[in-house]
């Protein structure tokens, strides 16, 4: 089994941070956003994705199930 990922105590994470924490490529995260409606990061006015802790947990669960 994979070891538990320690998610830092922050409110929001950029896509690069989520990629490092979950060992997932950015294009995979963007694709999963289109396939899994529960994965909806916030977007800044400039269009940057901001993932919440719940989003990271969802990404980890998707990876586990796949």
């Amino acid at each position: 089994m994979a070891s538990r990922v320690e998610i830092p105590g922050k409110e929001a994470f950029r896509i690069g941070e989520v990629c490092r924490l979950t060992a997932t490529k950015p294009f995979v995260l963007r694709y999963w956003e289109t396939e899994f409606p529960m994965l909806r990061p916030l977007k800044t006015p400039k269009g940057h994705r901001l993932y919440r802790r719940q989003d990271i947990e969802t990404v980890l669960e998707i990876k586990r199930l796949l």
Side-chain angles (χ1 to χ4, degrees), residues 19-43:
C19 290
R20 282 189 297 278
L21 286 170
T22 62
T24 307
K25 302 261 186 209
F27 72 90
V28 173
L29 289 176
R30 290 190 298 270
Y31 174 72
W32 285 353
E33 289 173 25
T34 66
E35 295 297 313
F36 300 101
M38 70 287 292
L39 184 59
R40 290 283 170 235
L42 304 171
K43 297 241 176 124

Side-chain angles (χ1 to χ4, degrees), residues 5-13 17 21 51-53 56:
V5 173
E6 186 66 33
I7 302 172
K10 292 173 39 175
E11 294 274 331
F13 301 84
E17 294 173 300
L21 286 170
Y51 291 85
R52 298 160 297 187
R53 175 177 294 275
I56 295 173

